[in-house]
Amino acid sequence: MDSNRQPTQTPDPPPPSLPAHARLTLNRCNLPAVILGSLTYQHHPVDLELDGIAPLHTPLLRNLDAIPGHRARARHFQDYMRWRFLLDLPEEAGLTRGRRGRAKADYQRMVRGWSFDSDGREGAVLKRWVESRFGLLARHHAGPLHGRGSETYLRYVAAGTQGLYATNALESQLDLLYTYGQYELGRRAPADTHLRLYRGINRIDEHEVLERVGRHRYRVLLNNLNSFTSERERADEFGDYILETEVPRPKVFFYNRLLPDLLKGEDEYVVIGGVYEVRISVL
């Protein structure tokens, strides 16, 4: 027997991938869901681009480059949205007399609705949008969504469908809102790849735990859309423990400071889900 032979080292297990039951095969961006929803992506993110959005709206992005102030850029973006989607002219957008009320179901109403109740109709629309664009299936909406035949799942699908019915290209509005948010984050801090964000919870099993990797560290599967805060002190208002994680910049869908005066407060971030490594701490 060779006494100098070194013992074989067992390689570390690969980090958790996005489970098959939490993703779609197809999406509408430059990375498949199995990659963008993985732990590897959290550690090594790249920009996410929705199909066709940047080329279609090149004039908007070019004009934003020439505007120095954040508030002025936000006003320009909102003016562009009103012009592009005829938000002030529902009849010209093709909405008939009986459907004019649906013109109010625009991107701003979706954001306000999420802030008020993420399990409401607007929240269902946004989660269905994430499914379509990024291929990440919702895991929770007014209850766990573990079975496609369950009553909770059917109510979720119905709410999302009703929220989109007879709207003015609402999903395209959300595409552009995401793209603008990414533009602003990149302009504000181009070297930053991640944001440290916090979420108040009462129990770790409120989330789907895939693996425990330390005394206070877990790998979890988050819902496909989630609310976080940039202020640790605010997170303790929503639970007995604080979940802390590094969120890839491309996974920020919206944050309150993006459109000043639309929402109260400045610290909420709406984050696209998938597998994340998180740290749990006691208040």
Side-chain angles (χ1 to χ4, degrees):
M1 180 176 179
D2 186 357
S3 59
N4 294 322
R5 185 176 180 181
Q6 296 297 318
T8 302
Q9 293 185 347
T10 303
D12 293 334
S17 179
L18 182 68
H21 61 262
R23 65 179 190 258
L24 296 173
T25 304
L26 299 176
N27 62 15
R28 299 184 187 181
C29 73
N30 57 319
L31 287 180
V34 68
I35 294 177
L36 68 88
S38 70
L39 189 64
T40 299
Y41 183 87
Q42 184 196 13
H43 293 165
H44 308 285
V46 297
D47 289 344
L48 298 176
E49 298 178 5
L50 298 178
D51 292 347
I53 298 303
L56 188 61
H57 300 282
T58 298
L60 168 65
L61 301 176
R62 184 173 57 244
N63 291 338
L64 290 173
D65 286 340
I67 302 174
H70 167 64
R71 281 184 171 270
R73 290 195 299 272
R75 286 194 297 269
H76 181 79
F77 170 76
Q78 291 171 300
D79 289 343
Y80 180 88
M81 294 292 279
R82 284 193 291 270
W83 167 78
R84 183 76 189 193
F85 296 101
L86 300 173
L87 298 183
D88 298 328
L89 302 167
E91 298 85 357
E92 292 189 21
L95 297 179
T96 60
R97 181 182 299 274
R99 296 180 178 180
R100 287 178 188 173
R102 297 299 293 148
K104 297 179 180 179
D106 62 9
Y107 71 102
Q108 296 183 92
R109 180 170 176 174
M110 296 303 109
V111 170
R112 291 192 186 101
W114 172 274
S115 181
F116 178 74
D117 179 11
S118 61
D119 284 332
R121 177 182 291 185
E122 290 83 3
V125 170
L126 292 177
K127 292 170 188 174
R128 295 283 285 174
W129 173 81
V130 173
E131 291 182 345
S132 169
R133 271 44 181 176
F134 300 99
L136 304 177
L137 293 172
R139 307 298 299 154
H140 189 281
H141 187 81
L145 301 176
H146 296 327
R148 295 205 166 199
S150 69
E151 184 176 345
T152 304
Y153 180 80
L154 295 176
R155 284 199 301 266
Y156 158 67
V157 172
T161 302
Q162 291 166 1
L164 280 175
Y165 175 71
T167 57
N168 184 4
L170 180 54
E171 289 182 306
S172 295
Q173 294 181 41
L174 298 176
D175 292 343
L176 201 51
L177 177 64
Y178 169 78
T179 301
Y180 173 61
Q182 288 298 306
Y183 171 89
E184 281 294 329
L185 286 172
R187 182 159 178 169
R188 184 180 70 181
D192 291 350
T193 60
H194 292 78
L195 293 81
R196 180 171 296 176
L197 299 178
Y198 309 89
R199 179 180 173 89
I201 63 172
N202 290 314
R203 304 181 311 277
I204 184 58
D205 58 8
E206 291 177 2
H207 300 81
E208 296 181 62
V209 177
L210 303 179
E211 194 172 67
R212 185 170 183 172
V213 293
R215 184 178 179 185
H216 300 294
R217 302 194 73 87
Y218 299 82
R219 290 168 176 173
V220 300
L221 173 60
L222 294 181
N223 202 5
N224 71 344
L225 204 60
N226 313 265
S227 287
F228 279 81
T229 176
S230 58
E231 301 294 334
R232 193 179 191 279
E233 294 74 17
R234 287 295 309 279
D236 65 15
E237 300 174 10
F238 300 96
D240 298 325
Y241 300 89
I242 293 179
L243 183 153
E244 173 187 331
T245 191
E246 298 290 329
V247 174
R249 189 178 74 190
K251 281 199 168 182
V252 175
F253 164 57
F254 179 83
Y255 57 102
N256 283 15
R257 282 175 288 179
L258 180 63
L259 299 176
D261 305 323
L262 178 62
L263 296 171
K264 295 181 179 179
E266 296 185 344
D267 60 352
E268 183 179 4
Y269 285 73
V270 184
V271 171
I272 296 165
V275 179
Y276 282 77
E277 189 166 302
V278 303
R279 181 178 181 272
I280 305 298
S281 58
V282 182
L283 300 179

